[in-house]
Amino acid sequence: QVSRRKTLGRDADEWSSTTNRKEHSMAITRVARVGAIAAISALALTACSTGTSEGPAAGGDCAPSDGPVTLTFTSWLPGVEEAVAIWNEENPDIQVEVQTGPNGNGGTYQNFFNQLAAGNAPDLGQIEFDAMPNFRVQDGLENIAACEGILEAEDQFVPWTWSQVTFGEEDAVYAIPQDTGPMAMFYRADLFEAAGIEVPTTWEEYQAAAEVIRGEGGYITNFSQSDINQFAGFVWQTGGQWFSNDGDSWQVNLEGEESLMVAEYWQGLLENDLVSANPPWTDEWNAAFNNSEVWTWVSAVWGANTILSGAPDTAGNWAVAPMPQWEEGASAAGNWGGSTTAVLKGSEHPYEAAQFALWLNTDADALTAMNRTAQIYPATIEGANLPVFAEGVEFYGGQEIYQVFAEAGTNVDPNFVWGPTMTQVYNDVADGFSGAISGSGTLMDALAAGQQSTIAALQAASIPVQE
């Protein structure tokens, strides 16, 4: 989740809850290019938000507080306390207290919105990139652009991640990017070797391997029926787009050629019983990895921690390879996730909170600590060059797995667009996917239904959309 759909995972029931549907239905856009974000976010904000960019930057004032300060910081990142402890030791007058909880859509976002309404939100919160618009349109974020060093930090970050926290607004920064989620394939190297199966490099080879593995009594992977971001990552790899915007209105394209190609592929695997379909982030799901029932997982870099923590009996047997490709010799990758550290609206100490957020996500010791405890991959350009990312990881047979993800990161199209009501999209498509798992409809049907419900949701929110 770490990053999107992170190490602690998300509760499938929470993910489809009515409460989350209501609280997160008014998202705006996620797009890589700053110019595109400017036009798109302006349209979406005008249509569905009364929020403004008021905050430290609006008044041009982000001054330090008088006297010692204690900040509260809510995160679900495993072991983040170790990084915070470094800050606290070095900054005795600005202490940070960590509050831990479930991942964002597992309850933390709902808590944030409740706390914002009550006026008692923490100073800082971990918020994923595609959830940022939800908080922006509800005016839940402080604009920290006027705080010392914030605007100047832009060049330290991978460009598309900085776009995620500014929405293209002039002199506006609503969070500091934390990590990204380039995708690759985790696989059981020992089982593949014992079965004499070559590590698949294409999706065609992946299906062939799935047939052999099923004959061995296992499954090549688990298809997620409720975490639609993985599926979005597969579509992202193909170059497909679910949303576009011409500056006047939105276009919804869940039924695009690339999306249907991905859906038909996985529908075939499901119909032939070549993949399992355990609800993700559950004990059953973890057990399938731990007892060697599931042999691969095409996931983001943060998935390294998910397998490590959920399948401890398999230590040393996993390895990482690039995502299978649709065309032999290609190298495209999808992205699944990415997080920020945001200063929440109403913080009495925005200056100190901004300084901590910037330090947490740029300091070499902090980034190293967070990688060691949660396997996050930093959003800073130089972070990828830290020694920890060149080390072999014992759980993965000593492989230098971050080299694979670093290469994947260079092969991610930075221009994938998230639409204004993404949580509604996730929920509606997840409903359809769950139906397909139970034999009621297909994945393609789910995308078709999601297309129509998304258009209806945009219209209901008075957001211009082409039918």
Side-chain angles (χ1 to χ4, degrees):
Q1 221 148 100
V2 203
S3 287
R4 182 144 208 71
R5 310 346 163 210
K6 306 255 191 282
T7 56
L8 296 184
R10 63 156 73 114
D11 186 303
D13 292 331
E14 287 286 349
W15 178 239
S16 61
S17 70
T18 301
T19 301
N20 277 346
R21 289 172 189 260
K22 179 179 178 181
E23 292 295 340
H24 302 300
S25 64
M26 298 294 290
I28 53 171
T29 184
R30 177 184 179 193
V31 65
R33 290 180 178 168
V34 173
I37 291 183
I40 295 171
S41 63
L43 171 65
L45 284 168
T46 299
C48 65
S49 174
T50 57
T52 69
S53 59
E54 291 182 1
D61 182 21
C62 184
S65 302
D66 294 329
V69 167
T70 298
L71 303 172
T72 52
F73 171 39
T74 298
S75 172
W76 59 84
L77 195 69
V80 70
E81 297 89 347
E82 293 189 18
V84 173
I86 299 171
W87 167 274
N88 285 340
E89 183 176 353
E90 297 177 353
N91 298 273
D93 291 334
I94 308 174
Q95 294 291 285
V96 177
E97 296 179 352
V98 178
Q99 304 167 346
T100 59
N103 74 321
N105 282 292
T108 291
Y109 293 155
Q110 182 60 59
N111 290 338
F112 283 162
F113 284 117
N114 291 342
Q115 292 163 340
L116 286 165
N120 59 2
D123 295 283
L124 300 119
Q126 182 178 349
I127 300 176
E128 295 159 301
F129 287 127
D130 65 353
M132 281 288 290
N134 301 335
F135 287 86
R136 175 70 189 98
V137 297
Q138 296 192 46
D139 197 25
L141 305 171
E142 289 285 358
N143 181 358
I144 58 173
C147 299
E148 181 180 350
I150 299 300
L151 287 176
E152 293 79 4
E154 177 179 357
D155 291 343
Q156 297 185 51
F157 293 89
V158 175
W160 72 265
T161 68
W162 194 257
S163 300
Q164 301 281 319
V165 300
T166 65
F167 305 108
E169 298 176 33
E170 186 176 355
D171 294 330
V173 179
Y174 293 99
I176 301 298
Q178 179 172 294
D179 65 302
T180 62
M183 297 174 73
M185 183 178 70
F186 297 94
Y187 70 98
R188 282 290 297 274
D190 60 326
L191 297 179
F192 271 78
E193 181 178 1
I197 305 173
E198 293 290 330
V199 178
T201 60
T202 66
W203 287 112
E204 183 178 5
E205 292 174 356
Y206 192 81
Q207 179 173 339
E211 294 171 353
V212 177
I213 291 170
R214 195 70 192 101
E216 297 282 333
Y219 289 102
I220 194 167
T221 196
N222 185 81
F223 179 78
S224 176
Q225 58 186 289
S226 58
D227 199 329
I228 306 306
N229 285 79
Q230 182 190 37
F231 188 88
F234 293 151
V235 175
W236 193 332
Q237 182 198 26
T238 70
Q241 290 280 357
W242 279 357
F243 291 89
S244 59
N245 190 291
D246 60 10
D248 294 320
S249 63
W250 285 93
Q251 297 83 47
V252 184
N253 195 32
L254 270 66
E255 294 184 275
E257 178 182 353
E258 297 86 357
S259 295
L260 291 178
M261 178 180 71
V262 174
E264 289 168 358
Y265 177 85
W266 288 98
Q267 182 67 34
L269 295 183
L270 286 166
E271 290 178 351
N272 290 292
D273 190 35
L274 296 179
V275 294
S276 59
N278 298 317
W281 323 118
T282 61
D283 291 341
E284 182 183 16
W285 186 79
N286 283 328
F289 286 116
N290 201 39
N291 64 21
S292 302
E293 177 185 349
V294 171
W295 290 27
T296 79
W297 187 31
V298 181
S299 184
V301 58
W302 46 261
N305 183 275
T306 305
I307 297 176
L308 184 155
S309 59
D313 295 342
T314 63
N317 295 327
W318 290 87
V320 179
M323 286 183 76
Q325 299 294 311
W326 291 101
E327 296 182 8
E328 186 174 357
S331 58
N335 187 86
W336 179 7
S339 284
T340 73
T341 306
V343 180
L344 297 180
K345 199 73 171 183
S347 172
E348 296 181 358
H349 309 290
Y351 174 89
E352 289 78 11
Q355 298 311 306
F356 169 76
L358 183 59
W359 173 89
L360 181 69
N361 297 306
T362 58
D363 180 80
D365 291 336
L367 293 174
T368 298
M370 288 189 289
N371 174 262
R372 293 197 186 283
T373 62
Q375 283 71 53
I376 71 161
Y377 194 75
T380 59
I381 296 171
E382 289 301 317
N385 298 322
L386 291 172
V388 68
F389 293 104
E391 297 175 0
V393 181
E394 183 178 356
F395 186 89
Y396 293 92
Q399 181 185 359
E400 297 173 0
I401 66 172
Y402 297 108
Q403 303 304 310
V404 179
F405 288 105
E407 180 65 22
T410 67
N411 294 319
V412 172
D413 179 358
N415 299 311
F416 190 80
V417 177
W418 295 113
T421 58
M422 282 314 302
T423 300
Q424 163 267 315
V425 174
Y426 297 146
N427 287 327
D428 290 353
V429 175
D431 287 345
F433 277 15
S434 295
I437 298 299
S438 64
S440 175
T442 66
L443 301 181
M444 293 74 76
D445 293 335
L447 293 176
Q451 171 88 9
Q452 296 307 310
S453 64
T454 299
I455 291 173
L458 292 172
Q459 291 173 334
S462 299
I463 298 175
V465 58
Q466 296 181 14
E467 295 191 53

